[in-house]
Amino acid sequence: MRAVSIGSDVKSGAGGFILPNARVEVLLTRPVQRQKGSFESRTILSNVRVLAVDQTYGQTKDNKAAVIGKTATLELTPDQAELIAEAARSGVLSLSLRPLADNYSVAASTLNTGISVIRYGVARASQAGE
């Protein structure tokens, strides 16, 4: 896996709700070549894990504190990293936050229910509940 950072702001980063370990969609918005002034958006990556979001505290015009993230670091395969690099050159990347329930379904589907038990230097597989 690779850690790849993309630019993010309040508009393109779901209003500051994207946090580490969240799952996101990566959207690409670019101009339509045959229609002047038109744009198209499409999802280029789905269910991507966010590793980190740089967050700094700032003040708004009303002197209220605000959390502002400018970069999101995503966990990607090498092929996905190349796709992001190409997409960043052709348009604007945005993140769309996935439902929290999706995080648990992904985690549950990747869990290994077996446990390796090592006794006296010999490993054996054990099933849950043994």
Side-chain angles (χ1 to χ4, degrees), residues 28-42 90-92:
L28 170 63
T29 302
R30 61 182 172 192
V32 177
Q33 293 179 354
R34 295 174 298 280
Q35 298 175 348
K36 207 165 196 128
S38 295
F39 294 87
E40 67 179 356
S41 290
R42 66 182 182 100
S90 66
V92 177

Side-chain angles (χ1 to χ4, degrees), residues 8-99:
S8 178
D9 59 19
V10 174
K11 292 178 194 171
S12 66
F17 286 100
I18 295 175
L19 300 172
N21 289 320
R23 296 275 172 173
V24 296
E25 312 281 330
V26 180
L27 307 170
L28 170 63
T29 302
R30 61 182 172 192
V32 177
Q33 293 179 354
R34 295 174 298 280
Q35 298 175 348
K36 207 165 196 128
S38 295
F39 294 87
E40 67 179 356
S41 290
R42 66 182 182 100
T43 301
I44 58 171
L45 294 175
S46 293
N47 205 15
V48 174
R49 181 174 168 233
V50 177
L51 294 174
V53 176
D54 78 324
Q55 294 181 332
T56 56
Y57 292 93
Q59 285 188 328
T60 64
K61 294 176 187 174
D62 316 5
N63 288 328
K64 293 182 181 177
V67 179
I68 304 163
K70 294 184 181 176
T71 305
T73 303
L74 308 176
E75 179 181 52
L76 304 173
T77 65
D79 289 338
Q80 290 173 328
E82 290 174 8
L83 179 64
I84 288 289
E86 291 172 19
R89 303 276 300 167
S90 66
V92 177
L93 296 175
S94 303
L95 300 177
S96 174
L97 185 61
R98 292 178 62 95

